[in-house]
């Protein structure tokens, strides 16, 4: 079973995902788990302090992609907090694309 783009879009707009996303970021202490493993710390300042403009954007990543493992979509073990940079690397996409929302061709955990 795989999810269509539309099904995924619905999922990402779903309230249970929004709540879960918050929960996972809290669990991971607003740190990118990948950076942390490499001894770097990337904190989402935006979440911690809304007035800080130098924010690092964090995403909650599905280790097993939502598209192919919809049953694991809300499983804590399948979710981890990543910074946009690491998330990009994992998905093998060009960094710049993140900042061109109009040209964004896909809708992953970002929103
Ligand atoms: Zn990172
Ligand atoms: Zn991802």
């Amino acid at each position: 079973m795989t999810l269509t783009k539309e099904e995924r879009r619905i999922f990402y707009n779903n309230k249970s995902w929004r709540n879960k996303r918050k929960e996972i970021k809290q669990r991971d202490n607003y740190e990118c788990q990948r950076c942390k493993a490499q001894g770097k710390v990337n904190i989402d300042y935006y979440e911690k302090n809304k007035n800080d403009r130098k924010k690092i954007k964090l995403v909650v990543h599905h280790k097993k992609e939502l598209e192919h493992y919809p049953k694991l979509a809300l499983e804590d073990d399948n979710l981890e907090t990543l910074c946009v940079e690491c998330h990009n690397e994992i998905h093998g996409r060009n960094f710049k694309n993140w900042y061109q929302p109009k040209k964004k061709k896909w809708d992953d955990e970002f929103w």
Side-chain angles (χ1 to χ4, degrees):
M1 177 193 172
T2 55
L3 294 185
T4 64
K5 216 179 163 193
E6 178 63 11
E7 281 168 333
R8 277 179 284 157
R9 195 185 63 79
I10 289 164
F11 170 78
Y12 286 123
N13 281 317
N14 193 294
K15 207 169 172 235
S16 53
W17 168 244
R18 287 170 193 268
N19 289 337
K20 176 55 76 182
R21 208 170 47 173
K22 237 185 249 173
E23 205 183 296
I24 296 298
K25 284 189 193 175
Q26 254 167 30
R27 180 199 71 183
D28 291 344
N29 210 17
Y30 299 100
E31 289 171 358
C32 170
Q33 297 306 293
R34 208 163 171 249
C35 287
K36 203 176 154 190
Q38 294 170 358
K40 292 184 280 172
V41 180
N42 257 346
I43 293 175
D44 191 339
Y45 291 102
Y46 182 71
E47 301 262 354
K48 285 212 161 171
N49 179 2
K50 303 276 186 205
N51 295 321
D52 193 332
R53 295 285 160 190
K54 289 183 298 173
K55 55 185 184 272
I56 296 165
K57 202 68 195 166
L58 291 178
V59 297
V60 175
H61 169 64
H62 288 94
K63 292 179 193 169
K64 294 195 173 177
E65 292 295 333
L66 173 67
E67 187 178 351
H68 303 294
Y69 299 88
K71 279 183 190 153
L72 300 176
L74 295 169
E75 286 293 319
D76 289 6
D77 287 350
N78 190 40
L79 298 168
E80 66 179 348
T81 305
L82 295 176
C83 70
V84 169
E85 239 169 293
C86 289
H87 190 239
N88 240 348
E89 253 179 64
I90 284 175
H91 287 277
R93 289 174 173 108
N94 191 308
F95 187 71
K96 281 176 187 166
N97 289 339
W98 279 102
Y99 297 103
Q100 301 172 339
K102 275 175 192 165
K103 287 182 187 170
K104 205 157 63 78
K105 289 193 188 102
W106 57 289
D107 50 340
D108 204 345
E109 296 96 327
F110 196 42
W111 299 118

